[in-house]
Amino acid sequence: MSGLSIGLIGKNIGQSRFGAAMQILAQTQNLSCDFQRIDTASQPDFNLKHCLEKLQRDGRRGVSITHPYKSDAAALIGADCTAEVHNIGASNLLLFNTPPQAFNTDYLGFLSAWRAAFADQKPGKVVIAGAGGVARALCAALIKLGAETIHVWDQTPARAVALANAFAPNVQALPAESQQRAAESANGLINATPLGMVATPGNAFAHLPIETQDWAFDAVYTPVKTPFLRAAQAKGLSVITGFDLFRFMAIESFALYAGLSRPPFQYLSHLDALTPDT
């Protein structure tokens, strides 16, 4: 049996289900999977460049990257990023080819999750709460899907302005006084903040009307049904969960690692065992 030698780098990733997802998907292809988790929370002197060089010397096929290193990973790879990574400014998967290549499977995963839920339907007018790395990947995906307008706000307004500038003219920063009007006219609402997580309770849209929109997506997946998504479903909106994104992101990542010509979406249900308990 041949196998994959891969890993995950990030801070406080002890609860990550990504390694388990890679093991499950490897079994579907009769592959072994040597997965190394590198949690940097206890490494104050961690150096991403040196870590990547060591993983490559050790013969790893590649490595996935999570918070807070996605932007640094893209910068280190430079010209060998995909066009999407250049636009997003962040990478969450590196392949140690010659030269190394950088990808963003948050972007790829959302495209796949959207098409599974809504086929060729366009997103329409979208309002996003939060302007961090996830929001950047989502903006790139929404533009690819043909979104009409994308409005973004953040608790730090300068971050929303920076995101809007990076994706101008498709994305616009949304001042506080315009949030209600934008939400009322939106087709879709997205939470790209930590609000709704078990450790960060809340609902980024609690102060805004949720009723006339068509769909909602929450990047949080622990719990799967956040207060935001529960409120959206209660009003009849179609929803995509953060766990939906996780599953599709994992499938897209595995396809890159295994060198598959197409992501093996037929194995999505195999990842249901990883559904968070809360």
Side-chain angles (χ1 to χ4, degrees), residues 22 78 87 110 117 127 131 139 146 153 167 221 234 267 276:
M22 294 300 99
N87 292 337
F110 186 79
V127 172
C139 282
W153 87 79
F167 290 95
Y221 70 89
Y267 298 116

Side-chain angles (χ1 to χ4, degrees), residues 3-8 23 33-38 51-64 94-97 257:
L4 296 178
S5 183
I6 56 179
L8 176 67
Q23 297 280 358
C33 182
D34 173 15
F35 188 87
Q36 181 179 359
R37 178 184 290 148
I38 302 171
C51 181
L52 295 176
E53 290 171 346
K54 183 178 187 305
L55 291 171
Q56 188 168 14
R57 288 196 304 270
D58 290 346
R60 296 276 168 182
R61 165 66 172 152
V63 66
S64 289
L94 306 180
L95 291 183
F96 295 136
N97 296 330
Y257 283 135

Side-chain angles (χ1 to χ4, degrees), residues 152-175:
V152 180
W153 87 79
D154 193 274
Q155 285 190 324
T156 304
R159 288 178 43 160
V161 171
L163 189 155
N165 289 339
F167 290 95
N170 303 87
V171 179
Q172 299 173 27
L174 190 63

Side-chain angles (χ1 to χ4, degrees), residues 178-203:
S178 301
Q179 290 175 10
Q180 178 165 340
R181 185 171 64 252
E184 287 173 344
S185 64
N187 299 101
L189 304 175
I190 290 179
N191 176 42
T193 78
L195 286 178
M197 294 176 65
V198 172
T200 317
N203 177 354

Side-chain angles (χ1 to χ4, degrees), residues 74 76-83 85-86 93-95 98-103:
L76 284 172
I77 299 303
D80 294 299
C81 296
T82 63
V85 169
H86 276 296
L93 189 148
L94 306 180
L95 291 183
T98 305
Q101 295 173 286
F103 303 85

Side-chain angles (χ1 to χ4, degrees), residues 2-276:
S2 58
L4 296 178
S5 183
I6 56 179
L8 176 67
I9 299 172
K11 185 173 287 187
N12 296 313
I13 56 173
Q15 301 301 312
S16 172
R17 297 168 176 82
F18 185 73
M22 294 300 99
Q23 297 280 358
I24 290 170
L25 294 171
Q27 291 174 9
T28 69
Q29 305 297 306
N30 205 31
L31 296 171
S32 63
C33 182
D34 173 15
F35 188 87
Q36 181 179 359
R37 178 184 290 148
I38 302 171
D39 192 331
T40 67
S42 61
Q43 301 182 43
D45 299 324
F46 177 76
N47 184 294
L48 180 62
K49 182 174 184 292
H50 294 166
C51 181
L52 295 176
E53 290 171 346
K54 183 178 187 305
L55 291 171
Q56 188 168 14
R57 288 196 304 270
D58 290 346
R60 296 276 168 182
R61 165 66 172 152
V63 66
S64 289
I65 312 285
T66 190
H67 179 79
Y69 305 109
K70 295 179 183 181
S71 296
D72 291 340
L76 284 172
I77 299 303
D80 294 299
C81 296
T82 63
E84 291 79 16
V85 169
H86 276 296
N87 292 337
I88 296 165
S91 170
N92 70 335
L93 189 148
L94 306 180
L95 291 183
F96 295 136
N97 296 330
T98 305
Q101 295 173 286
F103 303 85
N104 191 302
T105 57
D106 291 331
Y107 163 82
L108 296 173
F110 186 79
L111 288 178
S112 296
W114 176 272
R115 289 164 178 158
F118 301 123
D120 295 329
Q121 177 183 325
K122 295 186 183 301
K125 299 176 181 179
V126 185
V127 172
I128 302 178
V134 172
R136 296 179 74 91
L138 295 174
C139 282
L142 290 165
I143 291 168
K144 178 74 171 179
L145 291 166
E148 183 178 342
T149 61
I150 304 169
H151 287 99
V152 180
W153 87 79
D154 193 274
Q155 285 190 324
T156 304
R159 288 178 43 160
V161 171
L163 189 155
N165 289 339
F167 290 95
N170 303 87
V171 179
Q172 299 173 27
L174 190 63
E177 62 270 18
S178 301
Q179 290 175 10
Q180 178 165 340
R181 185 171 64 252
E184 287 173 344
S185 64
N187 299 101
L189 304 175
I190 290 179
N191 176 42
T193 78
L195 286 178
M197 294 176 65
V198 172
T200 317
N203 177 354
F205 289 90
H207 64 299
L208 296 175
I210 301 177
E211 188 152 5
T212 59
Q213 301 85 8
D214 301 316
W215 61 271
F217 166 70
D218 198 327
V220 171
Y221 70 89
T222 306
V224 176
K225 292 296 179 66
T226 61
F228 166 53
L229 288 189
R230 289 185 186 278
Q233 281 191 309
K235 295 297 185 178
L237 277 66
S238 300
V239 303
I240 302 175
T241 71
F243 188 68
D244 292 328
L245 174 59
F246 170 81
R247 292 191 309 155
F248 280 100
M249 178 275 294
I251 293 275
E252 295 280 2
S253 298
F254 178 76
L256 288 168
Y257 283 135
L260 303 180
S261 58
R262 297 180 66 242
F265 295 132
Q266 66 270 31
Y267 298 116
L268 272 173
S269 62
H270 287 55
L271 302 181
D272 288 347
L274 303 178
T275 304

